[in-house]
Amino acid sequence: MKSGVGKTGVVAVRSGGPSDRPRCVLLRADMDALPVEETNDVPYRSRHPGKMHACGHDGHVAIGLEVARRLGGLALGGTVKLAFQPAEEVSHGAQAMIADGVLDAPTVNAAFGIHLWNDLPVGTVGVMAGPIMASVDEFEITILGRGGHAAAPHQTVDPVLVAAHVVTALQSLVARRRNPFEEGVVSITQVNAGHAFNVIPGRADLRGTVRTFGGRFFDDAPALVEETAQGIAAAFGARAEVRYRRLSGPLVNDAHMAALMAEVAAQVVGKENVKSGVRTMGGEDMSYFLQRVPGCFAFVGSGPRNGKPSPHHSAGFDIDEESLVIGAEVMSRVALRYLEGG
Ligand SMILES: [Zn+2]
Ligand SMILES: [Zn+2]
């Protein structure tokens, strides 16, 4: 076992199999929490004020530990590497672990992971080939105008009005610049300007995100956002500065590995409970592993069988814990199945 991989990541390796035909499978469990104050009144409520496991990553750690316990006592057809990964929510952890060599020595040939998923009832598993989680880009736009008296707008260049037009124009990218057969979301999530009712401020700041499953809109988005903001600003006599960052690419499941995972999931929950078509425009930095090695990421249903699930990232987030048993079964079996030569 090795700690401090990618800052606070932990990697456990169980070697096995013939040395002349080495095979190594990586099982990934992310472990970070979120800056949310928990409102659940349960014995396992977070003991850290302002922080809670609002995405189920504590469940991923529990599943990872159980998988280690199960595989620890078995003769394996190859090597299993368990990667407990930090900083998924801020999209840094997978990259940091890769930079620290988690995919090397021994070389990883395939990677699997799961996310407990409250949008699916417990007892179901969502698996499919291809892109299932979106790319995550972040942008910040500063609009520079000229401040002045609210009653004399002609003496100013109003960045608030420019910002409003920029917001509308960025939404038009999805409506009019994207091929409708490609998935895409643009969300402006922060708008900041001004400090008084009678003063036109000198600048306005916008922040937001672009999500895609790859393709043309993914390639074009940085230029489209920049040109749109700058073009609109120029039309009003203002200036726009755009900072655009790619955080993670789309998460793409390998067809063969997805078939393997669907097969073991069917053994665990029954074929009728393995769902195809479960996708989200949320992001996942598991995508960094799957850009480098073939693998599959699946959704393990953790919502209630009946009734409304608590949303991920909400202060009332909780899971049906039967999902932990299912997750551990699916992850152990997919590792064994892959090492058998699946
Ligand atoms: Zn999350
Ligand atoms: Zn998550």
Side-chain angles (χ1 to χ4, degrees), residues 310-332:
S310 50
H312 287 260
H313 292 205
S314 73
F317 180 80
D318 203 357
I319 57 163
D320 184 319
E321 290 184 10
E322 197 193 321
S323 60
L324 300 177
V325 181
I326 294 167
E329 275 292 339
V330 170
M331 287 286 269
S332 316

Side-chain angles (χ1 to χ4, degrees), residues 141-266:
I141 301 170
T142 301
I143 293 152
L144 299 162
R146 191 168 60 244
H149 202 296
H154 58 292
Q155 295 170 354
T156 74
V157 175
D158 182 0
V160 176
L161 179 64
V162 176
H165 280 275
V166 168
V167 170
T168 305
L170 290 178
Q171 292 308 323
S172 308
L173 296 181
V174 174
R176 285 297 176 265
R177 301 294 292 272
R178 173 193 57 110
N179 180 333
F181 288 104
E182 284 185 13
E183 298 82 354
V185 175
V186 175
S187 287
I188 317 297
T189 53
Q190 275 177 260
V191 181
N192 289 306
H195 56 274
F197 90 99
N198 55 357
V199 176
I200 290 173
R203 70 181 271 177
D205 291 278
L206 302 173
R207 209 163 161 215
T209 182
V210 175
R211 309 294 175 106
T212 74
F213 282 156
R216 186 73 193 268
F217 190 63
F218 173 71
D219 295 338
D220 293 350
L224 283 174
V225 168
E226 182 164 355
E227 285 163 15
T228 301
Q230 289 178 343
I232 299 276
F236 285 85
R239 211 154 55 75
E241 288 173 359
V242 180
R243 292 165 298 283
Y244 198 101
R245 290 200 300 142
R246 294 236 194 259
L247 297 185
S248 56
L251 188 158
V252 183
N253 283 336
D254 176 83
H256 176 66
M257 301 297 175
L260 208 76
M261 207 159 184
E263 182 191 316
V264 301

Side-chain angles (χ1 to χ4, degrees), residues 30 55 57 60 88-89 115 284 312-313:
D30 52 344
C55 202
H57 300 181
H60 301 169
E88 185 283 320
E89 295 287 0
H115 205 301
E284 241 297 343
H312 287 260
H313 292 205

Side-chain angles (χ1 to χ4, degrees), residues 37-47 52 310 314-319 321:
E37 176 74 25
E38 181 157 10
T39 56
N40 293 315
D41 185 17
V42 289
Y44 49 87
R45 182 184 188 281
S46 171
R47 276 180 273 159
M52 75 172 282
S310 50
S314 73
F317 180 80
D318 203 357
I319 57 163
E321 290 184 10

Side-chain angles (χ1 to χ4, degrees), residues 251-311:
L251 188 158
V252 183
N253 283 336
D254 176 83
H256 176 66
M257 301 297 175
L260 208 76
M261 207 159 184
E263 182 191 316
V264 301
Q267 291 167 1
V268 178
V269 294
K271 204 167 181 200
E272 66 284 5
N273 292 315
V274 179
K275 309 287 177 196
S276 188
V278 182
R279 305 198 291 170
T280 163
M281 297 307 280
E284 241 297 343
D285 71 358
M286 177 79 187
S287 60
Y288 281 100
F289 294 120
L290 298 185
Q291 276 163 18
R292 282 160 183 82
V293 294
C296 181
F297 191 70
F299 298 106
V300 171
S302 54
R305 282 184 201 279
N306 303 302
K308 230 175 137 204
S310 50

